[in-house]
């Protein structure tokens, strides 16, 4: 058994994706949603489900889960966020070993790559949570300079009030890593000056439910190229599957 932890999980397509994968490939596996209200209940969840071999991690636990892990990968450590947990058990299932990984950054970069042009040198990253950290890590590896926008300057490089025409014109990639606009609150959107967007801009939303967010709609209305996070979900899900089924750490 595999699953997803986070709260709430009404927006997630992960269970649907893996269920269809298992049916398509003839695998006798299952994937469940575990909407836990408190990360402290992780140990109880793992101990209470002896056939649970792996978990994905989503909002709001990508950073909070780290102290509960026995080991984390180098990139997850550098990012400071985990979205995949591999659960190894002793033969008696009395002892468990939790290893944390991050596949978000690879999923994001692989999904973004076909849209990138040589003139994209800088990016505005909306949000400063666990998903934001993975995006920043991936962009730096790709040679694109990220600027983090948050509600507070304590969390990011700048606030939304600081974004002006010059900032928008210099940052041709804008990535929404916040949950603003995610189902069921689909009318919400990040407060940026959309009127400064141009056809040279790429606006990428990590949200995939709904298929087109208000952020994407408002950006597309200004001619910007837009994309949601569904392909990123699929790529990181396949990377998760490889981690869960690897023969060794």
């Amino acid at each position: 058994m595999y699953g997803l932890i986070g709260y709430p999980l009404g927006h997630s397509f992960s269970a649907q994706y893996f269920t269809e994968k298992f049916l398509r490939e003839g695998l006798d596996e299952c994937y469940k949603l575990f909407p836990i209200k408190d990360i402290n209940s992780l140990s109880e969840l793992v101990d209470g489900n002896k056939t649970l071999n792996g978990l994905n991690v989503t909002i709001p636990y990508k950073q909070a889960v780290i102290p509960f892990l026995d080991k984390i990968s180098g990139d997850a450590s550098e990012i400071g966020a985990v979205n995949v947990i591999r659960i190894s058990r002793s033969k008696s299932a009395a002892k468990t070993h939790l290893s944390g990984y991050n596949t978000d950054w690879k999923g994001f970069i692989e999904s973004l790559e076909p849209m990138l042009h040589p003139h994209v040198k800088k990016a505005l990253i909306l949000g400063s949570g666990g998903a934001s950290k993975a995006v920043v890590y991936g962009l730096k590896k790709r040679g694109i300079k990220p600027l983090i926008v948050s509600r507070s300057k304590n969390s990011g490089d700048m606030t939304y009030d600081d974004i002006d025409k010059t900032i928008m014109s210099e940052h041709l990639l804008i990535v929404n890593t916040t949950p603003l606009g995610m189902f069921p609150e689909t009318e919400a959107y990040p407060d940026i000056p959309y009127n400064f967007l141009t056809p040279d801009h790429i606006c990428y939303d990590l949200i995939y439910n709904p298929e087109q967010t208000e952020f994407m709609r408002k950006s597309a209305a200004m001619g910007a190229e837009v994309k949601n996070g569904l392909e990123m979900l699929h790529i990181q899900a396949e990377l998760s599957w490889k981690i869960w089924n690897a023969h060794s750490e």
Side-chain angles (χ1 to χ4, degrees):
M1 179 167 64
Y2 306 89
L4 173 70
I5 59 169
Y7 194 84
L9 293 179
H11 68 281
S12 178
F13 288 172
S14 293
Q16 176 186 335
Y17 178 83
F18 277 105
T19 298
E20 290 174 356
K21 173 184 173 65
F22 297 155
L23 285 171
R24 185 172 63 248
E25 299 181 14
L27 300 171
D28 185 21
E29 314 278 2
C30 70
Y31 190 101
K32 296 184 177 181
L33 300 182
F34 298 105
I36 57 175
K37 290 186 177 181
D38 187 339
I39 192 61
N40 289 296
S41 60
L42 176 63
S43 298
E44 181 182 343
L45 172 67
V46 173
D47 292 342
N49 292 274
K50 300 298 185 184
T51 61
L52 187 61
N53 287 341
L55 289 167
N56 287 125
V57 184
T58 191
I59 294 171
Y61 300 133
K62 291 186 181 187
Q63 297 170 83
V65 75
I66 291 176
F68 295 86
L69 306 176
D70 300 295
K71 173 185 173 183
I72 64 173
S73 67
D75 51 3
S77 178
E78 195 168 338
I79 292 166
V82 162
N83 75 305
V84 180
I85 299 172
R86 177 176 171 171
I87 303 170
S88 306
R89 301 178 187 271
S90 62
K91 288 186 178 180
S92 65
K95 283 188 70 176
T96 59
H97 185 92
L98 305 185
S99 303
Y101 304 83
N102 193 297
T103 62
D104 274 340
W105 75 271
K106 288 183 180 177
F108 169 69
I109 290 298
E110 285 188 33
S111 173
L112 175 69
E113 194 69 42
M115 305 173 72
L116 287 177
H117 309 292
H119 61 269
V120 179
K121 306 291 186 184
K122 298 180 179 180
L124 277 185
I125 314 303
L126 311 181
S128 55
S132 170
K133 294 181 187 309
V135 165
V136 166
Y137 180 82
L139 288 175
K140 285 181 177 178
K141 279 191 164 292
R142 184 59 176 71
I144 296 172
K145 185 178 180 181
L147 188 66
I148 301 169
V149 184
S150 187
R151 288 173 294 180
S152 164
K153 271 195 176 173
N154 294 329
S155 302
D157 300 315
M158 63 190 305
T159 68
Y160 288 89
D161 292 336
D162 296 326
I163 305 174
D164 57 18
K165 186 176 182 178
T166 301
I167 294 291
M168 293 288 282
S169 65
E170 290 177 351
H171 296 77
L172 296 180
L173 172 61
I174 302 177
V175 185
N176 177 37
T177 72
T178 78
L180 288 170
M182 185 170 67
F183 179 84
E185 297 177 11
T186 58
E187 294 180 2
Y189 55 87
D191 186 18
I192 64 171
Y194 293 90
N195 55 304
F196 295 138
L197 289 171
T198 69
D200 288 331
H201 280 86
I202 300 167
C203 295
Y204 190 111
D205 201 330
L206 264 57
I207 294 170
Y208 53 81
N209 184 9
E211 184 176 339
Q212 185 179 54
T213 61
E214 275 296 295
F215 167 74
M216 292 170 63
R217 188 187 66 77
K218 292 171 77 69
S219 300
M222 299 304 296
E225 188 174 2
V226 299
K227 187 168 187 173
N228 68 21
L230 187 59
E231 185 183 31
M232 174 182 168
L233 169 74
H234 292 172
I235 295 169
Q236 75 83 13
E238 289 300 326
L239 292 169
S240 300
W241 182 247
K242 287 181 180 178
I243 288 170
W244 293 332
N245 290 277
H247 292 296
S248 64
E249 294 291 317

